[in-house]
Amino acid sequence: MRWKPIVVLWFALFLVAARAPAEPLRIVALEYPPYVFEEQGRPNGLAVKLIQVLFRNLGRDIDIQILPWGRSLQYMQTGQADAIFNLLLTEERQAYLLYVEEPLIEERISAYARRPLAFSGDLAALSGYSVSIARAFSYGSRIDAALQQGNFSEITTVNDYAATFALLARGRAEVIFSDERAAEYYKARLPRGDLISKIGPTLEQFGSYLAFSKKYADSDLPARVNREMIRLKASGEYVRLFDAVPYRSSP
């Protein structure tokens, strides 16, 4: 009967498809040392190592691309990327992103200046100073609200996080806001970086997350990633991983 070869052919094609490896997940992130940076042509950093461990434990291949932040978010909206990491949870982003519930990293945001400033943590006290911020970057609800309200003498927006430190170092901005680990990284690399200091108390403390595009088809993967993240933290492997990746680099 002629139908038998057709059935055999379809069955063979099914087996090939079932055994074919899944395409690597397309993951994007902003260059944000010490969490994400490029070293010898490869992504590296605290968050990168954590992402690599997470997906290796789940048996999934990944392809991490370091892109400008605005483009990374655009790729997530259009489905050109499957996942993004080291970002805050905001209502606007939840419209097109599905967040993994467990935070990837806890960040602490503070204000930094080149000269000593008396600052108690009340952002209104900085209203007479010029600030520099990274485009499309969220610094936490309090700081974001002050920026949106224009509560500073001048706000200069630049393309990436590193440029805010460069402006501060050159005296073209009087204050910037930064994650405390990132500040240590940049201070060690900038000429006269030792002149930059934290002013006042920590202003924001929050989790940064891994999130998937809502256009990504594997609806079960975010839940599996979340369970693996919880397991890593409970086992102590999460802390050991952070301890094993140095971030206080010399110039």
Side-chain angles (χ1 to χ4, degrees):
M1 296 178 64
R2 297 185 61 184
W3 59 269
K4 286 186 176 179
I6 295 174
V7 170
V8 170
L9 176 61
W10 277 106
F11 184 68
L13 291 173
F14 172 78
L15 288 178
V16 170
R19 292 176 181 174
E23 289 291 319
L25 283 169
R26 301 165 299 175
I27 304 180
V28 293
L30 168 75
E31 184 170 20
Y32 182 31
Y35 302 109
V36 183
F37 57 90
E38 191 172 278
E39 188 171 65
Q40 298 180 349
R42 295 173 180 265
N44 200 352
L46 295 171
V48 169
K49 294 298 184 187
L50 180 55
I51 290 293
Q52 290 170 337
V53 168
L54 273 172
F55 286 100
R56 183 172 66 241
N57 290 355
L58 294 172
R60 293 299 304 265
D61 291 332
I62 60 174
D63 177 21
I64 298 175
Q65 287 190 315
I66 300 174
L67 300 174
W69 195 232
R71 192 189 310 171
S72 294
L73 294 173
Q74 180 185 8
Y75 278 15
M76 294 302 293
Q77 292 178 60
T78 61
Q80 290 173 268
D82 301 314
I84 186 170
F85 65 97
N86 244 44
L87 80 166
L88 269 61
L89 191 157
T90 68
E91 186 175 350
E92 177 187 358
R93 292 171 182 170
Q94 284 181 296
Y96 58 91
L97 295 177
L98 180 61
Y99 282 80
V100 172
E101 292 181 10
E102 190 70 16
L104 188 71
I105 288 170
E106 292 291 333
E107 296 191 39
R108 295 165 58 90
I109 305 295
S110 291
Y112 289 82
R114 276 193 67 186
R115 59 188 179 88
L117 296 177
F119 178 53
S120 66
D122 180 2
L123 290 171
L126 299 178
S127 61
Y129 296 94
S130 62
V131 302
S132 176
I133 60 171
R135 192 181 313 280
F137 199 88
S138 176
Y139 293 90
S141 57
R142 284 182 59 210
I143 298 172
D144 288 351
L147 291 167
Q148 289 167 7
Q149 293 162 12
N151 294 346
F152 303 95
S153 66
E154 182 182 358
I155 300 174
T156 301
T157 302
V158 292
N159 286 330
D160 56 46
Y161 209 71
T164 66
F165 278 89
L167 288 183
L168 181 63
R170 294 200 298 266
R172 293 178 56 190
E174 294 174 293
V175 174
I176 64 170
F177 303 103
S178 174
D179 168 75
E180 293 172 7
R181 287 193 186 100
E184 291 297 325
Y185 181 95
Y186 283 113
K187 284 172 60 179
R189 280 165 152 59
L190 283 170
R192 309 297 298 275
D194 56 314
L195 298 178
I196 297 173
S197 59
K198 175 184 171 182
I199 57 171
T202 299
L203 299 173
E204 305 265 9
Q205 186 167 349
F206 47 73
S208 63
Y209 292 83
L210 166 68
F212 288 82
S213 170
K214 287 190 174 179
K215 295 182 182 293
Y216 179 65
D218 187 349
S219 59
D220 183 52
L221 186 56
R224 288 193 285 131
V225 171
N226 191 62
R227 289 193 294 269
E228 179 60 17
M229 179 76 76
I230 292 171
R231 189 197 69 77
L232 285 175
K233 290 182 178 181
S235 69
E237 189 175 349
Y238 180 94
V239 172
R240 290 193 295 273
L241 177 64
F242 266 56
D243 290 342
V245 182
Y247 66 88
R248 296 177 184 271
S249 303
S250 58

